[in-house]
Amino acid sequence: MEHTLWGHLPLLVRSNSKESVEYILQILWRTRKTGLNATDRDIIRDILQLQDDADLDPLLVCLRILMRRCVYENTSKDEIPKLFPIEVPPEIQRLLTLLLQKFQREWREDILKDRVTLPRLKAMTWNMANPDEESTDPAAVINLKLQNDGEPSSSGELEVKFQLAKDTLETMLKTMYSIRDQLSNAAETSDRHLPEETNLV
């Protein structure tokens, strides 16, 4: 299937300018999470002078494949021309290579910004809740200190405090034991099997 997609790349010559192709790539990157809306599709169809989506959709899929390999895979600038099969016309290869090289660094920075950095546990303390008061339902107060390394502009420290009764604590401990067992199994599996190279499509 991928082999047949490359045959749609020559449609880019209909744009009549490098700037138009650059604009198409920028639209595709901007909509990488949401997909194109109707207005974006109309704009690209007008740029390429296409009447319907029969030719547009395969072209867009092909461009997204190239962009993903350029940005998400460990592809250097010098290796970008190797992403194209021989059947892609040289002038299209040169044009897209120049544009992908132009935006590669910027797009990779966008990917880093998109990644969600979860806070890590820095410290945990606890004490009994109201130890001096008579209570039929004793509880513990848990104090967690979290460190968010994704916020360099501040200390990134966050403190969370919550109360646990005995029955809630037992449920939590069962869950933690289950997590521990799954992590142990995952570690054993990774030790037995060497990682295999995968291709993103």
Side-chain angles (χ1 to χ4, degrees):
M1 175 182 177
E2 189 173 312
H3 175 80
T4 60
L5 288 175
W6 302 114
H8 292 82
L9 282 179
L11 291 173
L12 292 174
V13 300
R14 291 169 169 252
S15 64
N16 295 322
S17 72
K18 172 188 172 183
E19 290 72 23
S20 296
V21 177
E22 179 175 325
Y23 183 70
I24 292 173
L25 294 182
Q26 289 178 310
I27 291 179
L28 290 176
W29 183 252
R30 174 172 54 80
T31 60
R32 64 189 181 279
K33 296 178 182 179
T34 61
L36 295 172
N37 58 34
T39 301
D40 291 330
R41 298 181 72 87
D42 290 341
I43 291 173
I44 296 177
R45 263 198 309 267
D46 290 342
I47 291 175
L48 300 176
Q49 305 172 49
L50 297 174
Q51 299 299 318
D52 53 48
D53 292 338
D55 289 319
L56 178 63
D57 287 337
L59 170 63
L60 298 180
V61 170
C62 191
L63 290 175
R64 287 193 186 277
I65 289 175
L66 286 171
M67 295 167 67
R68 175 180 291 187
R69 290 178 176 174
C70 176
V71 178
Y72 289 88
E73 297 183 9
N74 191 23
T75 304
S76 67
K77 282 191 173 183
D78 294 335
E79 292 174 330
I80 290 177
K82 299 177 182 178
L83 297 176
F84 301 93
I86 193 171
E87 61 264 28
V88 178
E91 63 272 18
I92 298 296
Q93 291 190 39
R94 287 192 293 269
L95 173 61
L96 289 176
T97 296
L98 287 173
L99 293 176
L100 291 173
Q101 289 175 336
K102 175 180 179 179
F103 290 112
Q104 186 182 46
R105 181 176 178 179
E106 176 186 334
W107 290 346
R108 283 181 172 174
E109 289 176 354
D110 289 342
I111 293 300
L112 293 176
K113 294 176 184 177
D114 290 344
R115 291 178 180 173
V116 177
T117 303
L118 297 177
R120 57 184 174 84
L121 179 62
K122 187 176 181 180
M124 182 180 76
T125 58
W126 70 276
N127 59 279
M128 296 300 296
N130 301 322
D132 298 330
E133 297 181 9
E134 293 185 3
S135 174
T136 56
D137 299 313
V141 176
I142 311 297
N143 186 45
L144 302 179
K145 285 189 177 181
L146 307 177
Q147 178 70 39
N148 190 346
D149 297 325
E151 297 183 1
S153 59
S154 63
S155 64
E157 287 190 5
L158 175 67
E159 189 168 324
V160 178
K161 186 178 291 186
F162 57 95
Q163 183 170 297
L164 286 177
K166 183 180 178 182
D167 56 345
T168 308
L169 178 61
E170 289 177 349
T171 301
M172 180 180 176
L173 287 174
K174 290 179 182 179
T175 302
M176 299 301 288
Y177 284 135
S178 177
I179 293 174
R180 181 198 62 184
D181 293 340
Q182 290 191 40
L183 290 175
S184 298
N185 292 336
E188 291 175 1
T189 301
S190 64
D191 288 340
R192 288 196 301 265
H193 300 283
L194 293 175
E196 297 180 356
E197 183 180 354
T198 56
N199 292 323
L200 294 175
V201 177

